[in-house]
Amino acid sequence: QTAAEESPLPLRVGTSLLEQLPQDVRKQTPTFVFGEQIEGKTDGVTVIEGEAELRRHDAVIRGDRIEYDNASGETKAQGRVLVNKQGDRFQGPELQYNTNTEKGHFQEPTYELLRNDARGDASRVEFLGDGKAEVYNGRYSTCPRPPGATWNPDWLLRAERIELDNVEEVGAAHSGVLEFKGVPFLAMPYLTFPLSDKRKSGVLPPSVSVDSVSGFSVTAPYYLNLAPNYDLTLEPTYMAKRGVDLTGEFRYLQPNYLGQVRASYMPSDSLRDMDRWAYSWQHSQNVGQITGSDSLRVGVNLNRVGDDNYWSDFPRALRSLTSRLLRNDAVAVWRQGPWVANVGAYTYQTLQLDDSPITPPYDQLPSTTLTYSQQDRSLLGMPGWDFTVQTNVTRFRRANFVPTEGIQGNGERAFVMAEATRRWEAPGWYVQPKLRVHSAQYRMDDVLLGSSRSASRTLPTLSVDSGMVFERQAAYFGRNYLQTLEPRLFATWTPYRDQSYLPNFDSASRSFNWAAMFTENAFGGNDRISDTRALTLGLSSRLIDPESGAEIVRLGWAQRALLKDQLVTLPGGSAVTERLSDMLLTARVQWDPLWALDSTVQYNPKSRESARSTIGVRYTPGPYKVFSAAYRVQRERSKQLDIGWQWPLSELWGEAGKPVPNGALGPGQWYAVGRLNYSVMERKPVDVVAGFEYDAGCWVGRVVLERLQLNTTSANQRVLFQLEFSGFSRLGGSSLEALKSHIPKYQYLRQETLPASRFEQYD
Amino acid sequence: CGFALRQAPKFSFSAINIMGLTNTNISRAIQRNLNAAGVQVQRGGGPLPVQAVMTIEADYRERVVTGQSSGGLVTELQLRTRFRYNITAPNGRILQESSELLIERDITFSETAAIAKAAEEQMLFQDMESDITQQVLRRLAAVHI
C-alpha cells in the first residue's frame, strides 16, 4: 500500500461555479433530454412530449413538445416554451432554435435578462448566435412584472427593433420611444444603452429645471464610451429664456498620461447678448527619464471663462473650487536622487465685480525652484542629520495692474533657504533642533519705499521642537482605555530685521490651528520672516480603545508665549505686543462609529472671548442615514451654520426599510437629502441644495431645490427634477456631486456592483 | 498618577504584506514605522511568509468650500483626508474590518492670498497625514494574530 492510497485526495471548497466553459470543452458537453414520452434514434430526430426538457450546460429549453435533431442541433419547441440561455430567460408559445449555432427565433415571447434585471416582450425575438439577439416590436424595462396581471411598467422603452449584444453588453434601440407612467417623453431614431454595470455608451439621466435666471431648462446628457481609455460626455442644455448651451467633457487615460478637457459654449446668450464660453484642461504626464535614474513629470491645469459674470450666470458649472478665482498653471518637475527641480508658470483669472472687487494674487511667470535634500548625514562626526537647500527665482506680475497708492508693482525675487535638522527620539520622547537661514533678493520694476529698486534680507532662525508621550490604563464611563498624556514644547528664535520696505508677493497670515502654533514663522510665504522669539506649550491627551487601537477621544490645548514683541508685520498690520497668544483648544470624540464630534476654539483669556471657533457633529446610524451639522464663527466677521443630511423618511414614521443589494433600502422609499449653508449674521441662506429622492426600485426620482447667493441682493434659485432609470441610465448629475462633496458620508442610491452570475437564474 | 513613559509598540506579526496603495505618503510612513519597529514589510507581496496582510483601499485629499460671502468669495475651506484600509490573515480571515479614518481641518481663505494659502494647505495635509499614520499604527499594534 502506498501513502497516497492511505490518504485520499482532499476535496477543496470552490468559492464559485465556472461561469464560462472554454470553447473546446463547450462543444463536447452532453445534451440531456427529459419528458413523459421520448421517441428517437441516435444521430436522428428525438421527439419529446409532455413536460419536455432539453438541457445543455448553459442552456435549457422546456415546452410541451420538443423536436430535437441530434446531428444538426435543430430544435423546435411548442407550447409554454421556456429558453434559459446563460441566465437570460425567454418564454412563449413557439421556438425554433439550433443548439449548435445558437441561432433561431421565438414567436411572441416575454423575456428577462440576467445582468441588469431587465425584461420585456416582443412580437418576435431573433437569436443571431455569438450572444446576440434582436427583439422586434418590443418593450423593454427594468421594472418588475407581477405574476398574472398585465404588465404596465412605470417606465419602458418601446422600439421597432432592439439589438441585444451580450458580448459587448450593449443594447441598441431603433425608432425607440421612452415612456414614463404611460407618457412618451423622448423619441430617438437610434439609442444605445448598457446591459450591465460596465461603462457603456448611453443616455444619462436627463434633468428638467426651472430657474430664476434661465427659466425652464432641459439637460439631456449622453455618454459615449469611445474606447476603454477614452470617453466623452455631451451635455446639451436648452434654456427657454437664454438659448442652447453645449458642454462636452473628454477624458483620456494612457499608461504615461491622463487628463480631461471640458468645454462649454453658448452662442448669443440672450441674458447678456453675447457668446458665453468656458473651458478647463487637466493633464498629467510622466515624460520619462533623461539620464536613466531620474524622472520628469509635467502637469497642466487650465481654467478659463469668457467673461466676469460667467460664475454667476452658470452657477455650479465650473469645476474650480473658488468660483471667482480660476487657476491656470503649467509645471514640469524633474527628480533625481536628492535633487528636485520645478519649473512652472502660475497665473490666475480673477472675475471682477464692481461691488466686491478682488485684489488678484500675483502671477508667477515663471517660477523656478531647485531643492536639494539629504537625509541621515554626518555632521561633525554625528550621524542622523537632515539637510535641505532650496533655491527659488520667480518673476511676480499682477495681471491688469494699475499702479496705485498702497499696492506695489511687479518684480523679481530670488531666495535661498538652507536648513539643517536632527531628531533624537525614543518611543516615549523626542527632541528636534533645527537651524534655518533664509536669504531673499528683490529687484522691482518700480522704486521701492526705500528709494531703491533692489533690496535684500537674510535671517537665521533657530528652533527646537520636543515632546513626550506618557501612557496609563484608565477607565471612564464603564469602558477601559489606554490614556495618553502628550506634552509638547516648541521654542523658536529669529532676530528682528525691518522688512516693511520689502514688497509682499506671497506672504499671508496663517489660520490659527495646531500645526501653525508649532511653526517658526508667523506668516506663510517667503516675503516676511517674523521676528518670533517664543515658546509654545502644547498638551494633548487621548483615550484609545485597547481592543481595536481606535482613538475615541482627543483633547488638546496649546498657547504661545512671546519673549519679545513681534515687530515684523504684513503691510498694513501692526506689531504684536501682547505677549501671551490666544489659546487653542481642540476636542475630537468618536464615541462609537455612529457619532463623531470635532471642535476647535481660539480663545482669548484676557477678553474672555473666542476669536474663531468651529464645532461639527456627525451622526451616521446606518446605511443611507447621516446627519451632520457644523457651526463656524469668526468673531465680527462671519457666523455660518452648515447642515447636511440624508435620511430615509419612512424611518420617521417607524417603518424602516431593509438594505437590498444595490437597491438602497428597497423599493418605495423616500429620502430627504440636502445641504444648507446659512449665514447667521446676514440672516440669509448662502448655498442650499435640498430635496427628496424617491426610489421606486426600477427608477429613482429626484426633486431638488438649489439656491446660491450671488451678491448681497440677488440669488440664483432653481428647482430641478431628475429621473434615473435603474439598469438603463448611468447615475450622475451635478446636483448629486454637490451633495457628495458637502455631506462626507452621503451614499448614492445606486452603485456599481459585480455582474450577476448565471447560476442566480437557474432553471 | 499611573502615567509611565511610552514603550515601543509591540506588533503581533513579524512580517506583513502591504497591498493596494503602497506608494502614498501615509502608506510609506506606515511602512517606515513598521520597519523601524522590526517588522518585515513587503510592498505588494513577496516571497517571505507573512502573518498579516494590510490592504490600503483609499487615501485621498478633498477640499470643500464651507464658507462663502454673498459675493461668491470663498472665506473658509475644509480640508479632508480619507484613509481606508483592512487587515486580514494570509488565508483571508479578517483581522480588522475595513474602516475609514476621516480627518478634517478648517482654514480661512482669501482669494488675494491664494499662493500663501496653497502652501498652508500643503502643511495641513502633511499634518493630517502624520496624524492618520499615528492612529493606524496604534490600530496595527492592537491586531491579534
Side-chain angles (χ1 to χ4, degrees), chain A residues 311 321-325 348 358-359 361-362 364 427-428 469-472 482-485 506 508-511 513 515 519 544 547-551 554 588 612 614 618 632 634 640 675 677 682 686 709-712 741-742 744-745, chain B residues 1-9 62-78 80 82 96 100 102-104 106-109 111-118 120 123-124 127 131 134-135 138-139 142 144:
Chain A
W311 69 279
L321 205 58
T322 46
S323 50
R324 289 183 55 197
L325 183 74
Y348 295 91
I358 301 175
T359 306
Y362 275 95
Q364 300 170 65
V469 183
F470 297 98
E471 289 180 346
R472 71 165 183 182
L482 181 73
Q483 185 180 11
T484 71
L485 193 66
D506 67 359
S509 56
R510 289 198 163 99
S511 306
N513 55 47
T519 46
I544 292 160
E547 286 305 306
S548 66
E551 191 177 286
R554 176 193 301 195
R588 185 180 156 86
R612 181 162 170 258
T614 60
R618 187 168 55 241
R632 301 184 176 87
Q634 284 191 63
Q640 290 194 310
R675 185 260 169 152
N677 186 257
E682 295 166 291
V686 180
Q709 193 73 31
L710 300 177
N711 54 48
T712 41
S741 66
H742 282 104
K745 298 272 178 177
Chain B
C1 48
F3 279 110
L5 212 54
R6 185 184 182 192
Q7 298 303 306
E62 290 175 13
R63 299 162 71 229
V64 179
V65 174
T66 51
Q68 217 164 349
S69 79
S70 46
L73 294 174
V74 175
T75 57
E76 291 213 37
L77 286 182
Q78 185 169 68
R80 298 186 195 134
R82 282 175 198 264
Q96 225 168 63
E100 182 178 273
L102 169 63
I103 296 197
E104 299 151 336
D106 290 300
I107 63 164
T108 55
F109 187 83
E111 272 77 3
T112 305
I115 307 173
K117 287 294 165 185
E120 190 179 340
M123 181 182 85
L124 285 169
D127 179 53
D131 188 345
Q134 291 311 313
Q135 289 196 40
R138 290 269 186 189
R139 287 167 179 239
H144 303 292

Side-chain angles (χ1 to χ4, degrees), chain A residues 574-613:
Chain A
S574 54
V576 181
T577 53
E578 189 62 62
R579 294 292 176 89
L580 268 185
S581 78
D582 287 355
M583 283 182 192
L584 178 71
L585 300 161
T586 61
R588 185 180 156 86
V589 183
Q590 279 195 288
W591 190 249
D592 54 36
L594 312 186
W595 284 96
L597 180 146
D598 212 336
S599 176
T600 305
V601 176
Q602 177 184 349
Y603 181 72
N604 185 326
K606 217 170 188 180
S607 66
R608 300 191 180 188
E609 279 169 330
S610 82
R612 181 162 170 258
S613 52

